[in-house]
Amino acid sequence: MRIGLLVLLCNAVVFTALLHGLLRADAAFPPPIEKAREVSREVVDADGRLLRAFATSEGLWRLRTTSRDVDPQFVRMLLAYEDQRFYEHRGIDPLALLRAAGQFVSHARIVSGASTLSMQVARLIEPREGRSLLAKVRQIVRAIQIERRLDKAEILDLYLSRAPYGGNLEGVRAASLSYFGKEPKRLSVAEAALLVALPQLPERRRPDRFPKVAEAARERVLTRMAVSTVIGQGEAERAGGEAIPERRLQLPALAPHLSELALRRDPTRQRHETTIRRGVQHALETVARNAAERLGPKLSVAMVMADARTGEIVGEVGSASYFDASRSGWIDMTRQVRSPGSTLKPFIYGLAFEEGLVAQETIVEDRPADFFGYRPRNFDMSYQGDVTVRQALQLSLNVPAVRLLDAVGPTRLTVRLRRADVRLTLPAGEAPGLAIGLGGAGITLRDLVQLYAALANQGAVVRLGDGVERQPEVLAGDPLIAPSAVWNVSDTLAAVLPPRGSRRIGLAYKTGTSYGYRDAWSVGYDGRHVLGVWVGRADNAAIPGLTGYDSAAPILFEAFSKSGIAITPMPKAPPGAVRMAQSELPVGLRRFARTASGLVTATAREPAPLIVYPPEGAHVELGALSGSDIAPLALKLQGGRAPFRWLANGRMLPDTSRRRTTQWTPDGAGYSTLTVIDAAGRAASVRVFVE
């Protein structure tokens, strides 16, 4: 009895020591699971769909895949074919081992294997050089270690991500995208069977090299009794008749410039999310590539499409072809500063509308003019004479635009553009001049789209996101241009005829051509989205005959039409915005011109100025009697010819103004006389009592 107890005790000690040793060994030599989880970095669109993947450090296309990413039918077929008792064993399947051993003894060769999915994962994360008994034992030990550390779902996910499919393809997603051109979420029975069959002999069964061998391997999967039970005999027969894909497709490689930006921002992140929409991106890239081929060698095309309400970039093309060295395709032309040509003209007209200087049907002169030595000329070197403001903007006439810019002031234009967080690039040490209205400044395509987004957004300004990390932002504060003025600009641009060969689709758009035919632009928008197009050479070389209307505008209309984005109607006119016939305009708005002295001329019947607020004899309470700070008094007038000079009690207020509204802060309580004098020397006065 004592001897039996002693033997049991010794066995327990030995077992405990052995178990302790195994646990110590397990802890000292763990399987390289973390390293095995290295996968390709991915850039995905707003809906999580793959835009571009980057190979691993080993040069492999290994896309992270989970059981949720694949067709459930595929998982059932995989387990039925490879490991029927996957959810029951702990890394090794004793029944499968006994079966394989018996077949080996009876046939004197290996008839079938006994590898579980866990053992296969062990082999995948630590590839063996040969098929020896020692290698198999090591694989079994590793499988047990893996089972101790991971649950079944994690083991299955590792297999789905690392199963070999020939060449540098690993994982079900990479194989499905390469052979079928789609994600493995929905696979046909034939496709699923092929993906089950390939990992056993991935190089010998590659369908792009050995389609007959691949077809035979697929047939073996379909005819396996366990698999047939899963899918049904009739379905297996039908699947056997489907063709084998005989070529390997390229993995998605959309938005290359944006993808590179994402990796530079955070090289360690595996999955980079963007605001891009894959369908839009694919359409824009296709249009850009085809357009560049039509236009000629060395030319490139860049595009930016944004949601004007949210500021999200939904499509961005940095060049016609990223890998085309002849077009310097690696340069992202959406971020390069170039001359905008005439594309800033809508903002000049917008300020003029806002100031009340002109209406759409106001007559403006298109004749040779000299602005203190600056002599702008029209693109075609001809002049139209008297034209309406609407015609001048639609025809992109240079002289009328410079006349209006001279009236509103180039500095005021650049300051106003800063409301949209856009700063024009000027020559070092130079102040804004009249030339900026015709392209004498630098701007990027992204910034230009940001400006036009305000036109599509009824004047509200939004800072575009960068598509990756910087979030879009609706900027607080005053609108870029008053909504009524924006409506006048949009109403004018929406009536411009589309370029030759394009159909009218409801866009307001403007074109531009930089000096020397170096840049061609076209920017268009509907009630929601804005798209900007640039055409030119990355080296800034001249391209004879390159124009915004002939080169960039057709691309704009084609890209907008093929983007898949439905056209949003333009918003209705805001209160106070109306297009009036010239005969209905106030006399002062029927013609716009400036004399050599800089004063605005008018017709002989132009009314004299009239102060409409405050009215004659009014008592206005501004806090003067209470001893507190005196509030300013708003002054408003009608008629007259700008600029206006205001006087209070005979003393001139500091500045002249083209506005018909201003403010005056009185010195104290009591009666005051307010006088306004217009450019023609006509005056109007009122007497008010300040309380």
Side-chain angles (χ1 to χ4, degrees), residues 289-482:
R289 183 171 56 255
N290 294 338
E293 291 175 356
R294 290 194 306 267
L295 290 169
K298 299 186 179 181
L299 276 167
S300 192
V301 177
M303 285 188 266
V304 175
M305 191 172 198
D307 186 322
R309 297 181 190 173
T310 66
E312 292 179 340
I313 300 292
V314 299
E316 182 176 297
V317 180
S319 66
S321 179
Y322 184 79
F323 297 104
D324 190 341
S326 68
R327 304 180 194 274
S328 302
W330 62 87
I331 300 178
D332 185 355
M333 296 307 300
T334 69
R335 289 173 165 79
Q336 302 303 310
V337 176
R338 308 292 286 233
S339 166
S342 297
T343 55
L344 295 181
K345 286 178 181 176
F347 305 96
I348 298 172
Y349 283 84
L351 286 178
F353 285 132
E354 181 182 276
E355 285 291 308
L357 300 179
V358 295
Q360 288 192 41
E361 298 302 321
T362 298
I363 297 296
V364 61
E365 291 184 1
D366 179 37
R367 294 183 176 86
D370 187 330
F371 298 88
F372 303 100
Y374 178 56
R375 299 179 179 87
R377 294 176 293 181
N378 287 327
F379 185 78
D380 60 2
M381 307 302 291
S382 65
Y383 298 91
Q384 304 293 321
D386 283 355
V387 293
T388 66
V389 165
R390 181 180 177 86
Q391 292 170 332
L393 179 53
Q394 291 175 341
L395 296 174
S396 195
L397 301 177
N398 288 344
V399 176
V402 175
R403 291 187 189 277
L404 293 179
L405 181 59
D406 186 40
V408 300
T411 299
R412 187 155 179 263
L413 174 64
T414 58
V415 171
R416 182 62 68 91
L417 297 185
R418 292 177 190 170
R419 288 188 184 179
D421 197 30
V422 172
R423 289 165 172 78
L424 300 180
T425 301
L426 299 168
E430 289 195 15
L434 296 178
I436 65 174
L438 306 183
I443 194 171
T444 67
L445 177 59
R446 288 175 55 85
D447 281 348
L448 193 59
V449 170
Q450 185 161 301
L451 288 176
Y452 274 79
L455 298 182
N457 208 22
Q458 303 179 68
V461 291
V462 57
R463 181 188 293 120
L464 302 184
D466 63 3
V468 180
E469 184 178 80
R470 191 183 79 183
Q471 295 301 311
E473 179 185 359
V474 178
L475 301 179
D478 295 330
L480 178 62
I481 300 172

Side-chain angles (χ1 to χ4, degrees), residues 166-212:
N168 61 348
L169 295 179
E170 286 193 1
V172 176
R173 280 187 67 209
S176 181
L177 288 166
S178 296
Y179 292 133
F180 311 133
K182 66 179 184 180
E183 293 281 354
K185 194 69 175 179
R186 293 183 179 178
L187 297 170
S188 69
V189 172
E191 292 168 342
L194 182 61
L195 293 181
V196 169
L198 293 183
Q200 284 79 50
L201 294 169
E203 291 302 327
R204 296 182 188 177
R205 296 177 177 177
R206 283 182 59 169
D208 58 328
R209 293 186 177 179
F210 311 107
K212 295 297 183 183

Side-chain angles (χ1 to χ4, degrees), residues 18-33 141-142 144-146 148-149:
L18 180 61
L19 180 62
H20 179 71
L22 290 174
L23 292 176
R24 290 285 300 272
D26 177 62
F29 303 100
I33 293 175
V141 172
R142 283 303 198 197
I144 296 172
Q145 287 183 294
I146 290 171
R148 292 189 66 245
R149 288 165 169 79

Side-chain angles (χ1 to χ4, degrees), residues 25 33 71 74 93 103 133 137 211 213 293 349 470 486 519 521 530 592 610 643 674 688:
I33 293 175
D71 194 320
F74 167 80
D93 186 348
Q103 291 174 336
L133 181 60
V137 171
V213 178
E293 291 175 356
Y349 283 84
R470 191 183 79 183
V486 169
D519 308 273
W521 305 81
V530 56
F592 177 87
L610 173 66
L674 300 172
V688 298

Side-chain angles (χ1 to χ4, degrees), residues 411-620:
T411 299
R412 187 155 179 263
L413 174 64
T414 58
V415 171
R416 182 62 68 91
L417 297 185
R418 292 177 190 170
R419 288 188 184 179
D421 197 30
V422 172
R423 289 165 172 78
L424 300 180
T425 301
L426 299 168
E430 289 195 15
L434 296 178
I436 65 174
L438 306 183
I443 194 171
T444 67
L445 177 59
R446 288 175 55 85
D447 281 348
L448 193 59
V449 170
Q450 185 161 301
L451 288 176
Y452 274 79
L455 298 182
N457 208 22
Q458 303 179 68
V461 291
V462 57
R463 181 188 293 120
L464 302 184
D466 63 3
V468 180
E469 184 178 80
R470 191 183 79 183
Q471 295 301 311
E473 179 185 359
V474 178
L475 301 179
D478 295 330
L480 178 62
I481 300 172
S484 59
V486 169
W487 180 86
N488 276 294
V489 170
S490 298
D491 183 61
T492 301
L493 295 179
V496 178
L497 291 176
R500 288 180 292 274
S502 302
R503 62 184 182 87
R504 192 185 294 273
I505 58 176
L507 293 184
Y509 80 105
K510 183 71 183 72
T511 62
T513 306
S514 70
Y515 178 77
Y517 302 96
R518 288 176 169 81
D519 308 273
W521 305 81
S522 186
V523 189
Y525 58 95
D526 62 2
R528 179 67 184 263
H529 292 92
V530 56
L531 172 62
V533 176
W534 170 88
V535 180
R537 285 181 52 161
D539 60 4
N540 203 31
I543 308 102
L546 183 76
T547 66
Y549 185 79
D550 291 325
S551 303
I555 300 174
L556 171 76
F557 276 76
E558 183 184 2
F560 224 118
S561 298
K562 293 183 176 179
S563 68
I565 292 179
I567 296 294
T568 301
M570 293 289 186
K572 296 181 180 179
V578 62
R579 176 150 51 98
M580 303 172 65
Q582 188 180 21
S583 60
E584 298 173 325
L585 292 175
V587 174
L589 285 178
R590 293 181 183 176
R591 172 178 288 274
F592 177 87
R594 290 172 70 86
T595 64
S597 63
L599 300 178
V600 179
T601 64
T603 63
R605 293 185 297 170
E606 184 179 57
L610 173 66
I611 299 175
V612 296
Y613 187 85
E616 174 65 30
H619 285 241
V620 290

